[in-house]
Structure formats: C-alpha cells, structure tokens
Amino acid sequence: MVEPDRPETVGDWLKVGAARLLSAGLETDHGLDSRLLLAEAAGLPPMELSLNRRSVLSNDAGERFARLLDRRIAGEPVFRIIGRRGFYEHEFDLSPETLEPRPDTETIVEMALEVLSARAAAGQGCCFADIGTGTGAIAISVLSALGEARAIASDIAPGALLTARTNASRIGVSDRLMLVRTDFLAGIGGPLDCVISNPPYIRHADIDGLAAEVRLHDPMAALDGGEDGLDAYRALAADAARVLRDDGSVLLEIGQGQEHDVEMLFAAAGFSLAEARSDLTGIPRGLHFTRLR
C-alpha cells in the first residue's frame, strides 16, 4: 500500500505509481501503466487525467489505485486489471476465456475491410465468418466500419461468446452478428464471402517460454496451436472450401515464420496466396488466400 504521508495531486500519484512499478522490476512502460491504472481508479479517461495533474485526488480513488498497483506488481497485465482493451476504433471488454486483442491483429481487420469493401462496391456479398472470435474484436471492428457487412462469429468457449455479445451490443452491431459455439468451421454453413481467423498458433513446446503475463492470463485454448503450431490452419484449410463462394477469400493471422507452412497447407486444399502483409514491426502477419479456379 501507499505510504501514510501519501500524495494529494494526480501528478504526485502518477509518480508514486510509476516508482512502485519500477522498483518491482516489471518490464513495462511504468508511466503508461501508472496512468492507465490511476485513470481507472479515478473513473476518468487517461487523457483527461493527464490534463489535470494538479487536481487533488480523492482518498477513495487513491485507495483504489493502490489496490490496482498491487495487482499489477503481482504480475497481472494492466488491461486484465482494467477489464478492457482498445483495439482498432473501439474498446473491448475482456474475460478469462478471451485473448487480449493486440495491435498485430489490426492487420487482419484492414485486409478484411479492403476485401469486403471491394465486394460491396461491385455489388457482391459481404457475409463473413470470424473463427475463434474471442472478444469479437475482428468481427465487430469490420461490422462497425462496413455497414453492408454481416457476420457469423464462432468460438468453443461459452464465456468468450458472452463477452463478444456484450461488446457487439455496446458497439451497436449485434443485429448483424450471429454468434455460434462450434469448433472451427464445423457448425457453420455457407456460402460465405470470406473466412477470417486469428487462430491459436504457438507451438506447444514454446508455451512455457511465453511471457508470464501471456502464459498465466490468456486462455490456453487460444494460444496452443499443437506440436508444430499449425493444427488450427489444418482444420481451416480442410473445411474452408465447403463454406466459401467460388470467389471467396480466407484471411488469416499467422505467427512469426509460419508463412511458408500455412501457404503449403492451403495450396494443398486448393487455395492460392493472393497477399502476405506485414504488421507494423515488419513481420509477416496476415495472409490472404483465394480459391484456385
């Protein structure tokens, strides 16, 4: 907890928080984490908090902040503490059965919007499936940006589907989103214009080497891709043609170094790689496949 002669202003509290996180040895942006947690404790947007550094913080907010800092120092990720995370143009509620949506995955959203917008402009369909939807971040982001689109979002975790439903309702796209509990494409019919997925792709042997914040707080089912990290891609490749239109697309997020292996799996299933796109760090992250004709 914070010392008895604790500070009063927002700015002083921010310094206290950053100092505690630094002394705990966390490999994190101490100032950013402090600001996010203090904003949560005070019930204010982080930007507004930063603009009011000289304002006096209430005792209740200070106590809440101290408790949140304790959780962060114990290793809980800051967005898990807050219970939501920003992605693309919205914030998404999190739950124990969902991954935190991360900036890398915005690559897939951008690719999906390009593919589906082109179809809409050509008077074609805009119906897609988001496989392993988690928070619903991919499907909801696409639906929010493209009013013509309709989506099916699937997951095997009931808690994830409940979280996705909450996010869809709050963001205002629930009338265009059908949520389905199923494994990959098994419970989904067609014809669809696009299949999108950010599946589990970590090799089983690499799980223990993940950062504790990921290994201990993200759901294992959304991380473990099997012995070689490719189990989910095999399942998707085997069934994608069944649900897609002849001119349909598959858009996938991949892990570092998986581009060639995933391309070969889909080539064997009758698909051609139309585009590989890198994320902001230059790592190939998104693959776009079309059906061979």
Side-chain angles (χ1 to χ4, degrees):
M1 300 297 288
V2 178
E3 296 79 4
D5 55 338
R6 62 193 190 184
E8 293 184 350
T9 69
V10 165
D12 288 341
W13 277 101
L14 286 171
K15 292 178 183 177
V16 166
R20 286 198 64 200
L21 295 173
L22 178 62
S23 65
L26 294 176
E27 295 183 2
T28 187
D29 185 331
H30 309 104
L32 176 60
D33 283 6
S34 181
R35 184 164 68 252
L36 291 171
L37 294 176
L38 185 55
E40 180 69 13
L44 296 171
M47 183 59 68
E48 185 174 335
L49 190 75
S50 299
L51 295 173
N52 292 276
R53 296 178 69 92
R54 297 182 180 178
S55 299
V56 174
L57 193 72
S58 71
N59 288 336
D60 286 346
E63 291 295 335
R64 286 194 295 271
F65 181 47
R67 290 193 293 270
L68 296 183
L69 284 173
D70 288 341
R71 291 171 62 182
R72 183 70 188 98
I73 290 168
E76 190 173 352
V78 67
F79 294 109
R80 290 287 178 188
I81 296 170
I82 294 171
R84 60 190 181 278
R85 180 165 182 168
F87 176 85
Y88 208 65
E89 296 181 350
H90 301 282
E91 281 199 325
F92 290 84
D93 289 352
L94 306 176
S95 65
E97 291 183 288
T98 65
L99 284 175
E100 289 186 35
R102 293 176 170 90
D104 292 345
T105 303
E106 294 183 0
T107 305
I108 303 300
V109 173
E110 293 285 359
M111 295 175 76
L113 286 173
E114 292 173 14
V115 169
L116 292 171
S117 295
R119 295 187 65 89
Q124 299 172 316
C126 291
C127 183
F128 68 93
D130 174 21
I131 307 304
T133 195
T135 62
I138 293 175
I140 292 168
S141 294
V142 173
L143 291 173
S144 179
L146 187 61
E148 300 96 326
R150 301 290 185 273
I152 301 168
S154 74
D155 209 291
I156 59 171
L161 293 172
L162 288 172
T163 303
R165 185 181 303 279
T166 298
N167 286 323
S169 178
R170 177 169 45 78
I171 294 169
V173 300
S174 56
D175 60 328
R176 293 185 285 128
L177 178 65
M178 178 185 295
L179 294 163
V180 179
R181 186 183 180 192
T182 189
D183 193 17
F184 297 111
L185 290 162
I188 295 176
L192 298 171
D193 302 293
C194 191
V195 169
I196 309 170
S197 185
N198 173 21
Y201 54 67
I202 307 298
R203 293 190 310 160
H204 182 76
D206 294 337
I207 294 293
D208 287 343
L210 295 174
E213 292 186 2
V214 175
R215 187 180 70 254
L216 300 178
H217 296 278
D218 277 337
M220 193 56 58
L223 297 173
D224 194 338
E227 184 176 351
D228 60 0
L230 301 174
D231 284 359
Y233 301 108
R234 290 189 182 92
L236 292 168
D239 212 15
R242 177 182 63 81
V243 302
L244 279 175
R245 299 185 187 278
D246 288 343
D247 62 348
S249 297
V250 178
L251 297 170
L252 301 171
E253 179 171 327
I254 60 170
Q256 187 169 359
Q258 292 180 322
E259 180 180 351
H260 176 74
D261 289 336
V262 175
E263 182 180 359
M264 292 301 99
L265 286 172
F266 274 82
F271 288 83
S272 175
L273 180 63
E275 181 189 6
R277 187 174 299 187
S278 297
D279 61 23
L280 293 176
T281 68
I283 296 172
R285 188 64 64 185
L287 301 183
H288 175 195
F289 292 98
T290 54
R291 296 182 66 173
L292 293 172
R293 301 176 196 174

